[in-house]
């Protein structure tokens, strides 16, 4: 059985004033029937992790460097994130791939660095609208999975998030059949590469998940939770998504 995971990606949003949303989430969801993860900007990780240290909510980061230390001005290593209290790190998000030119090879190197620091890597894949229109979705996602995950992925060190680029922040989502098709394909790809143990790797859907569509998405084949952007910023919305997941 895979334990379900509701993950929030705050992106470049949030200052210390936003810590109250974490307090609210902990108050309303002290012991949820699924895992909860919030990935705030790096500036908030240690304060959030301190608040969550005995609680059901885990804190993660949104990126890391592939080196453990060194002359990389402005970058943060996986071990620094772990030291700050992060337990997970999102890697290969489409905004990083687009804004910072991250390639699959870079994502794979970062994933290895995350594992070495004891972090769970939440590796993101997903097609653009043009790639979907061309009928290339499975080829694109398959290639990203192959090249963004190093050998050695397990249920303990890796979560995969399928996030169609055209669904992120747009209010548009694939049909449930389209989500199922990609998630079943990702599962088969992972099992083909990593063996039976890959049945334990959690697969999240991401892209315009909100309280009103979460329950139906969570009924979909091989969907073990969600990676939520905009709707994770408010405790009430994220809490409603957690409730839908716990009930699924
Ligand atoms: P969204 O973002 O929920 O705002 O669409 C999802 C993501 O980018 O992880």
């Amino acid at each position: 059985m895979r334990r379900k995971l509701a993950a929030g990606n705050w992106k470049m949003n949030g200052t210390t004033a936003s810590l109250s949303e974490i307090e609210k989430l902990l108050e309303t969801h002290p012991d949820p029937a699924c895992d909860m993860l919030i990935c705030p900007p790096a500036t908030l990780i240690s304060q959030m992790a301190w608040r969550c240290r005995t609680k059901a909510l885990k804190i993660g980061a949104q990126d890391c460097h592939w080196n453990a230390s060194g002359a990389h001005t402005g970058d943060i290593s996986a071990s620094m994130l772990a030291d700050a209290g992060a337990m997970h790190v999102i890697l290969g998000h489409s905004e990083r791939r687009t804004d910072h030119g991250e390639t699959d090879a870079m994502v794979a190197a970062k994933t290895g660095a995350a594992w070495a620091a004891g972090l769970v890597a939440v590796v993101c894949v997903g097609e653009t609208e043009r790639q979907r229109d061309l009928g290339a979705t499975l080829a694109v996602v398959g290639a990203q999975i192959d090249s963004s995950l190093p050998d050695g992925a397990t249920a303990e060190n890796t979560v995969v998030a399928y996030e169609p680029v055209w669904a992120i922040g747009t209010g548009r989502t694939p049909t449930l059949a389209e989500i199922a098709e990609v998630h079943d394909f990702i599962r088969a790809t992972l099992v083909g590469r990593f063996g039976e143990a890959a049945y334990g790797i959690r697969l999240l859907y991401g892209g315009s998940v909100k309280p009103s569509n979460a329950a139906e998405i969570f009924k979909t084949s091989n969907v073990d939770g969600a990676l939520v952007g905009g709707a994770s910023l408010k405790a009430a919305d994220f809490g409603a998504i957690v409730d839908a997941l716990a009930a699924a």
Side-chain angles (χ1 to χ4, degrees):
M1 261 308 266
R2 296 183 292 270
R3 190 168 158 87
K4 310 233 184 259
L5 170 62
N9 172 11
W10 279 20
K11 310 191 178 184
M12 198 171 71
N13 297 291
T15 58
T16 47
S18 327
L19 293 170
S20 61
E21 295 301 322
I22 295 301
E23 306 284 3
K24 276 187 226 159
L25 189 61
L26 288 170
E27 258 167 55
T28 54
H29 295 76
D31 190 19
C34 62
D35 288 345
M36 293 193 300
L37 167 68
I38 292 284
C39 300
T43 48
L44 291 179
I45 289 173
S46 71
Q47 293 181 78
M48 279 199 190
W50 175 250
R51 277 171 173 75
C52 300
R53 66 197 183 284
T54 59
K55 304 278 176 42
L57 176 61
K58 305 233 175 356
I59 301 302
Q62 300 172 14
D63 178 46
C64 70
H65 198 272
W66 53 80
N67 282 332
S69 63
H72 302 286
T73 302
D75 279 311
I76 303 178
S77 74
S79 59
M80 291 170 181
L81 297 171
D83 183 53
M87 299 179 75
H88 295 63
V89 59
I90 297 170
L91 295 172
H93 189 281
S94 69
E95 287 151 17
R96 300 278 328 162
R97 291 178 186 263
T98 303
D99 295 355
H100 300 272
E102 288 192 8
T103 63
D104 289 337
M106 289 157 82
V107 177
K110 290 176 178 214
T111 301
W115 293 346
L119 298 178
V120 177
V122 180
V123 177
C124 303
V125 296
E127 82 286 0
T128 63
E129 183 156 37
R130 181 165 164 71
Q131 289 165 334
R132 178 163 282 276
D133 289 346
L134 289 171
T137 298
L138 298 185
V140 167
V141 168
Q144 286 177 329
I145 295 272
D146 283 347
S147 308
S148 301
L149 285 178
D151 290 340
T154 66
E156 287 70 40
N157 66 18
T158 301
V159 172
V160 173
Y162 167 56
E163 298 203 307
V165 177
W166 52 274
I168 295 175
T170 59
R172 297 165 57 206
T173 53
T175 65
L176 299 182
E178 287 168 339
I179 295 175
E181 180 190 32
V182 178
H183 278 240
D184 290 351
F185 169 77
I186 293 175
R187 175 72 63 209
T189 303
L190 293 173
V191 170
R193 168 126 176 245
F194 301 109
E196 296 282 302
Y199 282 110
I201 296 178
R202 293 182 288 184
L203 307 187
L204 309 183
Y205 168 76
S208 296
V209 176
K210 44 191 187 246
S212 59
N213 64 13
E216 59 171 15
I217 290 172
F218 293 150
K219 284 194 212 117
T220 308
S221 171
N222 274 308
V223 173
D224 304 309
L227 181 54
V228 185
S232 70
L233 294 171
K234 290 276 168 257
D237 288 343
F238 191 67
I241 292 169
V242 169
D243 292 341
L245 185 58

